């Protein structure tokens, strides 16, 4: 018999199976615990709860390791392209040349969005945050393909996956165009994925826009680095919504909403705002860290991670890339020096050392986005663009998993016990 854990509660002993993953991670399977004992487990924030078995992404937070389908993130960032990585994340294997060409063609085929969606932008206030607009419009795609939304029909799913990956850059770029009052620029199918986003954001009918190859490469690499990160808040949202057999667009719309928060993907925007504030106030890294430590409501944004108790490997790649990108496009920014100084002070400060807080993916990404002209409120939109294949891969994996059930955690009720209703006139 395989290994079991024994749980002793009063007179009773319960045997719980122990599962082991391919990298030696171990878990106690408590799925039958309530049926056996009447007990549930309580784990706020799910910090110690595995919600599924997954073969997509491996993270070792202690050692700072991240791999998609077994491939180290550093190698993918250096050698792969975003669409190739998307194929890998979605299908489990790197594509052959023919498979990649077909995938790229399928994605390219669907870049246009229905003109009805185009009109929907007008319903939003100009100052609407693009994450709100993108979330709403991704959800609205379900209104266009009502007869092809069955999450259990492989043909429907195949089509919607391609539509979603293809149309997202158009939806995102147009959210930006709408916010600045510029005419929408249609996708160009002769361009690569990253180039096309930049084209749709920065070209206009009055001028051509040449995409700088270093900028396109930087965006492509940023998208690769964000492509998946196992069971984070937005991916868990994607799975949870999908677990009710909601369609792909509804699930992705909810995941985008989850990503928006400043404790998750919204941190890249928050980091630039923090660095800008430090520059404006002329604070040293030490002074800002003291402020963080003195004020329980201030955090060093872009630092700390639920899983990484070491340097986030994505942040390492980005830190190395930042100066290269700035040099390639002939830009400089005081924010990079401020960030590097903050990092240096934090990594030798007791508070951060004791809590094992290191730079995460959001610490340097915003500096690159800002240098290449991406507006601050679009940073998290780029995170969503990168994360989409990961969200979809998890959604597909969940539907293919015979053990998957509707996501429905339990609770320990702590409210009032039963009491009789009081008439309004008798309430003091
Ligand atoms: N600055 C200062 N203190 C921090 C920070 C920070 N950035 N992060 C954690 N701490 C402290 C926290 O106050 C707590 O201290 P104590 O034990 O004294 O109460 C301890 O470290 C543990 O923090 P936690 O909030 O229990 O950790 P968590 O795993 O629940 O939260 C986190 C993880 C990422 C939400 C958190 O580290 C944080 O808020 N970081 C800043 C926001 C950020 O950069 N988010 C991006 C995350 S990476 C990309 C992504 O997921 O989207």
């Amino acid at each position: 018999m395989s290994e079991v854990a024994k749980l002793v509660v009063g007179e009773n002993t319960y045997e719980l199976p122990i599962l082991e993953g391919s990298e030696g991670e171990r878990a106690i399977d408590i799925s039958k615990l309530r049926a056996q004992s009447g007990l549930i487990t309580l784990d706020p924030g799910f910090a110690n709860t595995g919600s599924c078995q997954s073969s997509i992404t491996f993270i070792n937070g202690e050692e700072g390791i991240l791999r998609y389908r077994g491939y180290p993130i550093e190698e993918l960032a250096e050698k792969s392209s975003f669409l190739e990585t998307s194929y890998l994340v979605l299908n489990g294997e790197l594509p052959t040349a023919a498979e990649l060409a077909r995938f790229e063609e399928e994605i390219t085929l669907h870049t246009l969005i229905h003109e009805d969606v185009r009109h929907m932008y007008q319903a939003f206030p100009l100052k609407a945050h693009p994450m709100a607009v993108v979330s709403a419009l991704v959800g609205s795609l379900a209104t266009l393909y009502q007869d092809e939304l069955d999450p259990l029909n492989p043909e429907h799913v195949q089509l919607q996956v391609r539509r979603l990956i293809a149309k997202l850059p158009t939806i995102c770029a147009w959210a930006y165009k709408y916010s600045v009052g510029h005419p929408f620029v249609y996708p160009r199918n002769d361009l690569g994925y990253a180039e096309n986003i930049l084209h749709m954001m920065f070209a206009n009918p009055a001028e051509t826009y040449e995409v700088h190859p270093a900028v396109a490469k930087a965006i492509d690499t940023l998208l690769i680095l964000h492509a998946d990160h196992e069971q984070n808040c937005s991916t868990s949202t994607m799975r949870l919504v999908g677990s009710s057999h909601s369609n792909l667009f509804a699930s992705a719309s909810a995941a985008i909403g989850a990503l928006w928060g400043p404790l998750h993907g919204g941190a890249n925007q928050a980091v630039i705002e923090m660095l800008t504030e430090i520059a404006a106030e002329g604070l040293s890294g030490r002074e800002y860290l003291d402020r963080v430590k003195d004020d329980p409501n201030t955090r060093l944004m872009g630092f700390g991670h639920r899983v990484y108790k070491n340097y986030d490997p994505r942040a390492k790649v980005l830190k190395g890339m930042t100066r290269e990108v700035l040099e390639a496009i002939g830009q400089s920014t005081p924010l990079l020096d401020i960030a590097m100084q903050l990092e240096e002070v934090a990594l030798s400060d007791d508070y951060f050392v004791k809590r094992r807080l290191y730079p995460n993916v959001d610490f340097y990404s915003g500096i690159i986005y800002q240098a290449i002209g991406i507006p601050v409120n679009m940073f998290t939109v780029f995170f969503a663009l990168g994360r989409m294949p990961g969200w979809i891969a998890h959604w597909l994996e969940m539907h293919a998993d015979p053990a998957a059930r509707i996501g429905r955690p339990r609770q320990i009720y702590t409210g009032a016990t039963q009491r009789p209703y009081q008439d309004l006139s008798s309430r003091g």
Side-chain angles (χ1 to χ4, degrees):
M1 190 185 170
S2 48
E3 203 183 353
V4 291
K6 288 188 180 165
L7 176 69
V8 180
V9 184
E11 308 274 278
N12 300 314
T13 300
Y14 305 100
E15 292 203 341
L16 304 163
I18 293 184
L19 306 180
E20 188 163 323
S22 53
E23 291 280 355
E25 290 180 309
R26 281 147 53 91
I28 300 171
D29 178 354
I30 53 105
S31 55
K32 305 270 184 312
L33 179 63
R34 185 168 175 278
Q36 289 170 356
S37 67
L39 292 164
I40 63 164
T41 54
L42 186 64
D43 182 19
F46 311 124
N48 202 45
T49 293
S51 62
C52 60
Q53 298 190 51
S54 177
S55 61
I56 302 169
T57 287
F58 172 70
I59 302 177
N60 180 329
E62 301 299 317
E63 293 179 26
I65 293 172
L66 169 62
R67 298 185 205 125
Y68 302 156
R69 303 285 191 183
Y71 294 100
I73 190 69
E74 296 81 1
E75 272 190 74
L76 292 169
E78 190 193 332
K79 298 177 183 159
S80 186
S81 69
F82 177 61
L83 282 187
E84 184 186 68
T85 296
S86 301
Y87 185 100
L88 169 72
V89 168
L90 288 166
N91 298 290
E93 296 297 335
L94 283 168
T96 62
E99 285 166 339
L100 181 60
R102 192 163 60 243
F103 184 63
E104 286 174 344
E105 195 184 309
E106 285 168 354
I107 297 296
T108 307
L109 193 71
H110 292 291
T111 52
L112 275 179
I113 46 178
H114 196 289
E115 289 291 296
D116 286 350
V117 175
R118 181 189 156 93
H119 299 308
M120 290 180 202
Y121 285 89
Q122 266 76 49
F124 294 108
L126 273 179
K127 287 197 181 318
H129 195 289
M131 283 297 276
V133 176
V134 171
S135 171
L137 291 182
V138 165
S140 81
L141 292 178
T143 65
L144 300 173
Y145 308 109
Q146 297 196 59
D147 300 330
E148 296 166 326
L149 289 178
D150 182 355
L152 306 180
N153 178 324
E155 277 169 35
H156 291 192
V157 169
Q158 175 91 346
L159 190 57
Q160 303 311 3
V161 165
R162 276 146 186 77
R163 282 185 172 138
L164 185 49
I165 295 176
K167 291 177 198 309
L168 190 61
T170 315
I171 289 176
C172 295
W174 286 8
Y176 166 66
K177 282 297 197 197
Y178 179 68
S179 74
V180 289
H182 287 183
F184 294 159
V185 172
Y186 283 90
R188 263 183 49 193
N189 290 351
D190 59 319
L191 297 177
Y193 198 81
E195 286 172 300
N196 208 7
I197 305 162
L198 292 161
H199 157 74
M200 287 187 283
M201 281 184 73
F202 298 123
N204 70 59
E207 274 175 43
T208 53
Y209 170 78
E210 285 296 324
V211 181
H212 193 304
V215 171
K217 172 81 182 108
I219 291 291
D220 205 66
T221 308
L222 278 155
L223 297 179
I224 292 172
L225 293 175
H226 287 87
D228 193 44
H229 213 239
E230 50 118 308
Q231 311 307 323
N232 56 81
C233 176
S234 55
T235 303
S236 298
T237 302
M238 182 86 184
R239 279 180 175 264
L240 194 59
V241 175
S243 77
S244 72
H245 292 187
S246 222
N247 65 71
L248 183 70
F249 301 121
S251 309
S253 168
I256 293 168
L259 184 72
W260 188 8
L263 298 188
H264 192 9
N268 54 16
Q269 172 170 347
V271 169
I272 280 294
E273 287 164 355
M274 174 187 79
L275 296 175
T276 308
E277 181 191 326
I278 294 172
E281 291 185 34
L283 298 174
S284 68
R286 163 62 46 214
E287 284 166 328
Y288 192 77
L289 284 197
D290 288 342
R291 185 184 287 184
V292 168
K293 290 193 289 183
D294 291 345
D295 176 3
N297 295 319
T298 305
R299 288 199 160 189
L300 182 58
M301 298 312 285
F303 254 71
H305 199 276
R306 172 61 61 80
V307 181
Y308 293 118
K309 301 303 164 199
N310 201 329
Y311 214 110
D312 180 335
R314 302 166 299 173
K316 224 177 242 174
V317 175
L318 286 171
K319 186 179 176 188
M321 249 173 80
T322 307
R323 220 174 271 289
E324 257 173 52
V325 175
L326 291 177
E327 274 167 19
I329 58 173
Q331 288 257 349
S332 65
T333 167
L335 301 191
L336 177 57
D337 294 331
I338 294 174
M340 290 177 90
Q341 197 208 1
L342 268 177
E343 177 190 322
E344 195 186 326
V345 184
L347 292 185
S348 57
D349 183 288
D350 248 16
Y351 175 97
F352 290 85
V353 172
K354 217 168 82 197
R355 291 170 179 76
R356 302 169 76 192
L357 302 170
Y358 289 85
N360 61 48
V361 67
D362 294 314
F363 196 62
Y364 286 103
S365 63
I367 297 177
I368 303 179
Y369 286 132
Q370 194 176 52
I372 61 187
I374 308 294
V376 174
N377 65 2
M378 287 292 288
F379 291 2
T380 316
V381 171
F382 273 83
F383 195 150
L385 274 162
R387 185 54 55 84
M388 188 55 78
W391 286 334
I392 296 173
H394 282 274
W395 193 90
L396 296 173
E397 184 177 63
M398 177 191 67
H399 283 302
D401 182 353
R405 302 166 76 189
I406 186 167
R408 204 302 184 187
R410 290 194 176 256
Q411 63 165 17
I412 295 293
Y413 176 70
T414 58
T417 52
Q418 184 173 340
R419 48 188 170 162
Y421 180 83
Q422 283 182 305
D423 287 334
L424 190 55
S425 57
S426 65
R427 285 177 228 158

